[in-house]
Amino acid sequence: MEELQSRLQETLSVLSPQELRNFRFILKTVDEEPRVSPVLLELEGSTAPGLARLLAKNYYLSAAPRVLTKVLKQLPRADLLPRWQDDLTPYDSPGIPRKILKRSFDCVESELDCYDLRGRRKAFLMCIKKDRPGSDQDIQLMGDWLQQCQFESTLCIDPNEKDLMDKLTSFRDGLNEIKGEIGCCLVTLMSHGEKGFIKMKDGVRVSLEDVFEMFNNKNCPALHEKPKIFIIQACRGEKRDNGMETDDEPMQSDDISEKRRLPTFSDYFIIYPTQADHVALRHPRTGSVMIEKMMEVFKQYGNKWHIVDFFTKVNNRVVHTEFFLAKMAGDGVGCSLCCSELS
């Protein structure tokens, strides 16, 4: 396994940070069991060595090269495929196809796999306002968006750790008690944060993994095969792209064998405003950049796109947003924002 892991790492190290993020996202869509847990991907797969280790541990020796080549074809990085061609059986790959899979805007409706969203749409919206100027604008924008998307919303403002976990538990239990169909669940957490955690108004940390686990197929059977969307508007570390105020900037004044079985974690869509270990950016007047761009994309395209393409467009808007430093010697310098990460 060590030799396989070393070869995987050698290939993955060639990829750019953006390609590594895309690799992780595509990996979750590959039809190959057992799938890598979204939580493990988030916690351990942010680097080439970590991702190589996950692939080597999760798949059999013959499966890992097959999974790798499937993802590389979709990036697309066909130039990296020849080094793995000898590891594939003729059934796996008679050649090196270079066709890129269609996105939703290239397809007719009948060609796409779609979730059935005709059931009730439930949303949980939490926001820490303390020391986060612009958070009122975030709440307003998200509230309007959820209403337009026909979500029934539960609002949670400035909770402590116990309040948040109690309200999330009540929200989750309420989903399990609904008699009819549920179409979708969306949880938005806007706060201070660091990698793997969000912070409450008193600075106490709450594990994101604990939050994600509350809604898995074991703990929330009402959401079996239903989309579970998590929007985490918070810092993920202390690295900075200097510019607008950050979500952690100190303020002056973020028979069982015969039954069909689901993985414990499935149908998760986890959206972050920044890459791992970096701060998230928020303007003190207009609010969080990612939330603002979500509203822009929704107003322009509505619900015409697949969720993946929707947030890819949001990511693109965030990346290409420019701003100027307000306090520095000489002229202001234009900078690009960190891109968001789909998980």
Side-chain angles (χ1 to χ4, degrees):
M1 189 179 81
E2 291 182 1
E3 181 183 354
L4 173 63
Q5 182 176 328
S6 177
R7 291 183 61 207
L8 289 167
Q9 182 174 334
E10 182 182 358
T11 297
L12 294 172
S13 296
V14 176
L15 303 180
S16 68
Q18 180 64 53
E19 287 174 326
L20 273 178
R21 288 191 286 274
N22 292 341
F23 188 101
R24 291 196 298 274
F25 179 73
I26 296 170
L27 179 59
K28 294 189 300 180
T29 70
V30 172
D31 187 16
E32 189 85 37
E33 298 294 343
R35 297 190 179 186
V36 180
S37 159
V39 175
L40 284 178
L41 266 178
E42 182 57 39
L43 295 179
E44 301 180 25
S46 60
T47 64
L51 196 52
R53 185 167 55 252
L54 280 178
L55 287 171
K57 287 171 55 179
N58 199 71
Y59 296 105
Y60 295 110
L61 291 178
S62 60
R66 182 167 63 246
V67 171
L68 178 72
T69 56
K70 285 182 179 179
V71 178
L72 290 176
K73 291 171 188 174
Q74 294 185 53
L75 271 178
R77 284 301 302 268
D79 57 300
L80 300 176
L81 295 180
R83 65 179 70 185
W84 292 94
Q85 206 60 28
D86 292 340
D87 296 84
L88 303 177
T89 67
Y91 176 79
D92 290 326
S93 179
I96 305 177
R98 299 177 181 269
K99 181 180 179 182
I100 303 174
L101 294 184
K102 290 182 178 180
R103 306 305 307 167
S104 60
F105 42 78
D106 297 320
C107 300
V108 296
E109 186 174 353
S110 61
E111 292 179 304
L112 292 172
D113 290 331
C114 299
Y115 286 107
D116 183 355
L117 300 181
R118 289 176 293 181
R120 295 171 65 179
R121 303 176 185 183
K122 305 289 287 184
F124 184 92
L125 175 59
M126 186 281 289
C127 184
I128 297 297
K129 297 170 61 176
K130 182 181 178 182
D131 294 338
R132 296 185 67 247
S135 57
D136 285 326
Q137 182 71 3
D138 289 345
I139 295 170
Q140 182 66 47
L141 288 172
M142 282 301 301
D144 291 346
W145 182 63
L146 291 171
Q147 186 175 22
Q148 292 177 58
C149 293
Q150 301 176 16
F151 278 91
E152 303 170 36
S153 299
T154 297
L155 193 61
C156 180
I157 303 297
D158 278 336
N160 58 33
E161 178 190 17
K162 185 178 184 304
D163 289 339
L164 175 62
M165 299 310 288
D166 285 349
K167 289 184 179 180
L168 277 171
T169 300
S170 177
F171 175 75
R172 187 272 316 276
D173 292 345
L175 297 178
N176 286 330
E177 293 170 2
I178 292 177
K179 301 301 181 183
E181 282 288 314
I182 297 177
C184 176
C185 172
L186 188 150
V187 175
T188 301
L189 305 176
M190 302 187 290
S191 179
H192 305 288
E194 57 189 62
K195 188 175 181 180
F197 296 89
I198 54 171
K199 296 179 182 178
M200 299 298 93
K201 62 180 180 181
D202 54 4
V204 174
R205 303 189 311 171
V206 173
S207 168
L208 287 172
E209 184 175 1
D210 290 345
V211 174
F212 300 153
E213 187 174 353
M214 293 176 68
F215 297 88
N216 66 23
N217 292 322
K218 176 182 178 182
N219 295 321
C220 195
L223 293 178
H224 281 184
E225 299 186 295
K226 301 296 182 181
K228 295 167 275 288
I229 306 168
F230 295 85
I231 299 175
I232 313 299
Q233 175 58 50
C235 291
R236 304 178 69 194
E238 297 181 356
K239 295 181 181 178
R240 298 168 183 265
D241 278 347
N242 291 329
M244 284 182 287
E245 211 168 312
T246 73
D247 270 339
D248 266 354
E249 182 76 17
M251 297 292 118
Q252 298 299 318
S253 49
D254 125 4
D255 176 329
I256 297 178
S257 62
E258 297 178 351
K259 294 181 179 179
R260 179 171 177 266
R261 298 176 65 85
L262 287 172
T264 305
F265 289 85
S266 65
D267 303 284
Y268 274 66
F269 298 86
I270 304 172
I271 293 91
Y272 291 101
T274 186
Q275 58 187 310
D277 300 317
H278 283 68
V279 297
L281 297 173
R282 169 177 40 83
H283 194 282
R285 291 189 302 276
T286 58
S288 302
V289 174
M290 184 181 73
I291 302 299
E292 181 183 12
K293 299 308 174 186
M294 282 173 54
M295 304 309 113
E296 286 183 7
V297 174
F298 180 76
K299 287 179 180 178
Q300 184 172 355
Y301 298 102
N303 59 358
K304 297 178 182 178
W305 283 3
H306 187 283
I307 184 172
V308 175
D309 296 307
F310 176 84
F311 281 106
T312 298
K313 175 63 74 171
V314 172
N315 176 78
N316 196 44
R317 294 277 180 96
V318 172
V319 170
H320 291 94
T321 298
E322 293 188 349
F323 60 92
F324 292 86
L325 300 180
K327 295 181 180 180
M328 62 180 298
D331 295 331
V333 179
C335 303
S336 294
L337 304 177
C338 292
C339 60
S340 62
E341 179 174 330
L342 297 175
S343 300

